[in-house]
Amino acid sequence: MLKSPKKMALVFFPAYDWAISPTHPEREERLLYTQDQIAEEGLLDIEGIREYRPDIAVERDVERVHFCVPDVKSRTTESHMISAGGAIKAAKLVLSHEADCAFALVRPPGHHSMRVVHGNRGFCNINIEAIMIEYIRDAFGVDRVAVVDTDCHHGDGTQDIYWHDPDTLFISLHQDGRTLYPGSGFIDELGGLGAYGTTLNVPLPPFTSDDGYLYVMDHLVLPVLEEFRPEIIVNSAGQDNHYSDPITNMMLTAQGYAELNRKLSPHIAVLEGGYSIEGALPYVNTGIILAMAGMDFSHVKEPDRDLQSFKPQREIMDYCRELCGKLTVLWEHRRENAVRLRGVNRYDEQARTIFYDTDGITEYQQERLRLCGDCPGSWVIDSSSAETGYRIRAVHVPRKSCPDCRKEALGHFQGASKSDFDRVFLQDRQDKIFETR
């Protein structure tokens, strides 16, 4: 019997009873062929690779991350809670040392879901990676985490959730936002002033192939991870950068994706997008599983793969080299740049509009961050949407809050008038208190 060098856990939840619509790319069949391929390859016959059933997340798990408007039940289904529970199960297996690494092959996806949730955007209701990370922080005392998002779309939801968290490094490799939804993820998006530089975006040109992705891994991602020294590395493993994906324009192959995971060696991978249901997902997922388990994946190839189509274009490789150089400089100078940008200001205020493309909802946000030299700073968001009819206030106390930031945040919660807001939320990560009034 074959034996894998690493103990590898697979948590599988295909959500065969959930889809946005029968013809939508995010539908039941997404993992059907992957399930068949895993069986055909005999992966579960390998000693060391084992399948587990997912947990089911509870409302408290969601409330650590999100402000669901008006509440968690109205913005989630049972499938969303099992998908998040599948990611939690994967993390629990790794942190309890039952497995060396784990892959949560679950859906619905989540990386476009932001802190405030009025509805579904980018096929996502709740952010399953963030729910997993905040769970293990409470349950296992994990502090520093890195999320490397390799979905073809910018992980704008995960970026938003960790924008002000200096203990979470978020790196997104994605197709340039000028050419693909959600239209964000540029190199000047580096995090809030309390966590400046712990967000890094790598917008890659269309038709970037294996060589471009692997160059970025070697010359940017791995050196930054080595310096950041996370306790846990998470691969937000969207697979819509595959050459056969119907809604994107990249040229990654199953071999390229497997090699990327061999280099990254994540503790946990969580499936995100990927809509070439028959042509890509079965092979990419098989490659990821073998790479994470430390096994040979050289035989994993798509039946239609034409090697002549994947020669890297010189212009794209030149672009990748220049991009890595710019981002390396920004990373190395992040601390002095943060001090310069903060100046003598006590607060940082931002106003923005967020569009929920799936549900046709527009949200208006006003955010106020308290800049603090002793902690990441507390923040408050006032949010409204004409489509949902809700006006809410969301107040956040960070895990490592100082007394002054905590006091000010509680004042924002207690002082909010019922005449001004339909809901007022308190997310106190320091004392693990979650209240709504």
Side-chain angles (χ1 to χ4, degrees):
M1 174 182 277
L2 283 174
K3 183 177 181 179
S4 61
K6 294 182 180 178
K7 288 188 293 182
M8 170 85 187
L10 301 181
V11 182
F12 200 76
F13 179 63
Y16 287 142
D17 61 348
W18 183 89
I20 291 177
S21 74
T23 57
H24 195 279
E26 182 51 64
R27 62 181 187 272
E28 298 96 322
E29 296 95 330
R30 274 192 65 209
L31 289 177
L32 184 64
Y33 291 95
T34 290
Q35 196 169 36
D36 291 345
Q37 191 71 21
I38 289 173
E40 186 174 321
E41 294 273 351
L43 298 186
L44 294 176
D45 296 328
I46 298 172
E47 184 179 348
I49 299 180
R50 182 178 169 189
E51 183 180 0
Y52 294 82
R53 301 271 76 83
D55 289 347
I56 302 177
V58 299
E59 289 188 24
R60 177 54 56 91
D61 297 326
V62 180
E63 290 170 342
R64 291 189 190 94
V65 174
H66 293 296
F67 303 96
C68 290
V69 185
D71 51 42
V72 173
K73 282 184 180 174
S74 66
R75 294 293 165 240
T76 57
T77 65
E78 186 178 36
S79 289
H80 291 103
M81 302 304 270
I82 300 175
S83 182
I88 288 173
K89 181 61 176 283
K92 287 166 70 175
L93 290 165
V94 172
L95 288 161
S96 62
H97 306 293
E98 191 167 339
D100 298 317
C101 54
F103 188 6
L105 279 157
V106 297
R107 56 178 293 274
H111 77 147
H112 293 302
S113 181
M114 298 181 169
R115 287 170 286 177
V116 178
V117 176
H118 283 267
N120 183 305
R121 58 187 307 280
F123 316 163
C124 304
N125 285 52
I126 54 175
N127 194 305
I128 55 179
E129 283 100 339
I131 289 170
M132 172 189 75
I133 291 166
E134 296 314 308
Y135 174 89
I136 62 174
R137 279 180 161 150
D138 276 5
F140 293 91
V142 171
D143 185 24
R144 290 170 76 79
V145 176
V147 180
V148 180
D149 188 325
T150 51
D151 190 281
C152 200
H153 301 83
H154 174 226
D156 56 346
T158 310
Q159 172 173 294
D160 175 71
I161 290 165
Y162 292 112
W163 189 250
H164 299 303
D165 182 355
D167 295 315
T168 304
L169 172 66
F170 175 68
I171 305 176
S172 179
L173 283 66
H174 49 265
Q175 185 173 322
D176 193 311
R178 292 170 295 184
T179 64
L180 190 69
Y181 176 89
S184 56
F186 301 103
I187 65 171
D188 60 350
E189 298 169 34
L190 291 159
L193 294 181
Y196 194 77
T198 53
T199 293
L200 287 176
N201 283 296
V202 189
L204 297 167
F207 307 111
T208 298
S209 58
D210 295 353
D211 297 81
Y213 273 90
L214 297 177
Y215 182 90
V216 173
M217 288 297 298
D218 286 336
H219 293 85
L220 177 70
V221 176
L222 296 181
V224 167
L225 286 172
E226 184 176 358
E227 183 177 340
F228 186 75
R229 295 189 180 279
E231 296 158 60
I232 293 290
I233 298 173
V234 179
N235 179 206
S236 192
Q239 299 165 19
D240 39 9
N241 37 33
H242 190 264
Y243 66 83
S244 65
D245 196 274
I247 65 174
T248 63
N249 307 101
M250 297 304 229
M251 300 295 284
L252 207 64
T253 68
Q255 279 292 304
Y257 220 126
E259 178 63 13
L260 185 152
N261 269 272
R262 188 193 66 78
K263 289 175 178 287
L264 183 62
S265 190
H267 298 91
I268 305 155
V270 180
L271 178 68
E272 282 291 340
Y275 307 101
S276 178
I277 296 170
E278 188 174 357
L281 266 68
Y283 308 101
V284 175
N285 284 323
T286 299
I288 291 174
I289 293 167
L290 292 172
M292 289 182 71
M295 299 192 71
D296 175 35
F297 52 81
S298 60
H299 64 285
V300 180
K301 290 185 175 65
E302 304 83 343
D304 67 341
R305 181 173 168 180
D306 175 2
L307 289 173
Q308 297 305 314
S309 303
F310 300 98
K311 288 182 178 176
Q313 296 180 23
R314 179 179 174 182
E315 295 80 7
I316 290 177
M317 292 306 296
D318 288 345
Y319 182 92
C320 291
R321 278 188 280 272
E322 184 178 353
L323 186 60
C324 287
K326 289 179 180 176
L327 284 163
T328 298
V329 171
L330 289 168
W331 168 255
E332 291 174 343
H333 294 278
R334 63 193 183 282
R335 294 188 180 90
E336 58 260 42
N337 286 339
V339 171
R340 176 177 56 79
L341 290 168
R342 288 169 70 148
V344 296
N345 296 319
R346 292 184 58 208
Y347 296 94
D348 185 37
E349 298 192 53
Q350 306 287 336
R352 61 176 178 165
T353 301
I354 298 168
F355 184 60
Y356 295 69
D357 55 296
T358 311
D359 285 346
I361 294 169
T362 301
E363 176 195 1
Y364 300 97
Q365 279 193 8
Q366 182 75 39
E367 179 186 282
R368 182 181 173 91
L369 169 71
R370 186 178 193 273
L371 298 174
C372 180
D374 298 321
C375 79
S378 58
W379 46 259
V380 56
I381 292 175
D382 292 345
S383 162
S384 64
S385 168
E387 287 80 10
T388 65
Y390 283 103
R391 297 171 303 157
I392 67 107
R393 166 164 287 185
V395 179
H396 175 81
V397 179
R399 289 186 302 131
K400 300 176 181 176
S401 180
C402 73
D404 288 343
C405 283
R406 178 182 178 77
K407 180 180 179 181
E408 183 165 313
L410 296 179
H412 283 305
F413 177 68
Q414 293 158 356
S417 168
K418 285 189 175 180
S419 61
D420 292 332
F421 301 103
D422 301 299
R423 295 280 192 286
V424 182
F425 299 91
L426 173 65
Q427 186 183 68
D428 183 347
R429 291 292 287 117
Q430 189 173 46
D431 281 0
K432 303 177 184 178
I433 296 171
F434 308 93
E435 290 184 32
T436 305
R437 64 178 182 82

